[in-house]
Amino acid sequence: MTSDVPHTPHGPLPEGGKPRAITRWGTPVMHRRQADVTAYDEELRTLVADMAATMYAADGVGLAACQVGVDLRVFVFDCPDSTGDHTVGVVCNPTVSLPEGKDRKLDEAEEGCLSFPGAFVECARPDAARVTGFGVDGEPVVFEGDGLLARCLQHETDHTLGTVFADRLSTKAQKKLRKAHEKVADKFPLTWPAEED
């Protein structure tokens, strides 16, 4: 069943957040494993609400805490799978499982990152993924899917481990990505997409 209404098996994203400036590649928090979430409290809920607001303001499909400069292993997402069905969620302390052996098929598709905005390049990833972790209230969550959703779950889990998708590219593809970003960098000030005060 395809619908524009997001599928929310573990509840909607917290609302009422404010968009924050997106942290760029090269900032130390983007390139190290973040701290595990240990407190499922109002501070976490506020962070997650701000992350959701930031993701939507930037027209993204996923965002990790490190992308707003916060050293915590949590991400939010609102992303379609190969059928167009949207899944929405929050995952704290994610663990990703990928197909192995004969079930493993790579999907060569364009990938981008809000922390390196405006640039896209092909990146091969397994075409299905399953992520387990905890929701914003500490409840166990499981998300799985294919298509862009599989790519998103892998990309955001990578962020919580200090990996940006350029780390998975050849030197040639990294250069192509850098050139694409440089062409449009002026459109994305360092305050983007936060609202001006």
Side-chain angles (χ1 to χ4, degrees):
M1 187 176 96
T2 303
S3 158
D4 288 333
V5 178
H7 175 51
T8 53
H10 302 287
L13 296 172
E15 295 180 350
K18 287 181 65 173
R20 302 188 189 186
I22 290 180
T23 303
R24 302 303 167 91
W25 290 1
T27 307
V29 73
M30 296 292 301
H31 303 281
R32 64 169 184 256
R33 187 187 198 277
Q34 281 90 62
D36 286 345
V37 174
T38 55
Y40 295 88
D41 55 13
E42 202 51 43
E43 189 177 340
L44 178 66
R45 183 167 280 275
T46 299
L47 168 65
V48 168
D50 285 358
M51 287 167 60
T54 305
M55 174 183 72
Y56 288 126
D59 291 324
V61 295
L63 190 81
C66 63
Q67 295 183 272
V68 291
V70 177
D71 189 348
L72 272 182
R73 295 190 65 230
V74 55
F75 70 83
V76 299
F77 67 99
D78 179 347
C79 188
D81 63 16
S82 63
T83 69
D85 274 347
H86 275 250
T87 301
V88 178
V90 181
V91 187
C92 300
N93 306 334
T95 300
V96 67
S97 304
L98 302 171
E100 295 179 2
K102 61 179 174 44
D103 295 326
R104 185 178 172 90
K105 294 178 182 65
L106 290 182
D107 175 27
E108 289 264 6
E110 281 201 333
E111 191 162 329
C113 182
L114 295 176
S115 291
F116 203 68
F120 299 87
V121 72
E122 283 202 348
C123 177
R125 288 193 186 263
D127 65 353
R130 181 176 195 264
V131 166
T132 58
F134 300 91
V136 73
D137 296 315
E139 74 283 11
V141 295
V142 180
F143 295 102
E144 57 190 340
D146 59 7
L148 185 59
L149 178 58
R151 182 171 295 277
C152 176
L153 294 174
Q154 294 172 71
H155 180 113
E156 300 307 333
T157 300
D158 274 356
H159 273 312
T160 72
L161 301 171
T163 299
V164 299
F165 90 94
D167 296 336
R168 298 186 174 277
L169 300 175
S170 67
T171 304
K172 185 179 176 184
Q174 286 179 14
K175 282 181 184 169
K176 184 179 174 186
L177 187 71
R178 225 177 354 263
K179 281 183 181 172
H181 171 67
E182 285 165 4
K183 279 183 187 172
V184 295
D186 291 349
K187 295 180 182 176
F188 300 98
L190 292 179
T191 54
W192 174 81
E195 294 155 358
E196 297 293 329
D197 288 330

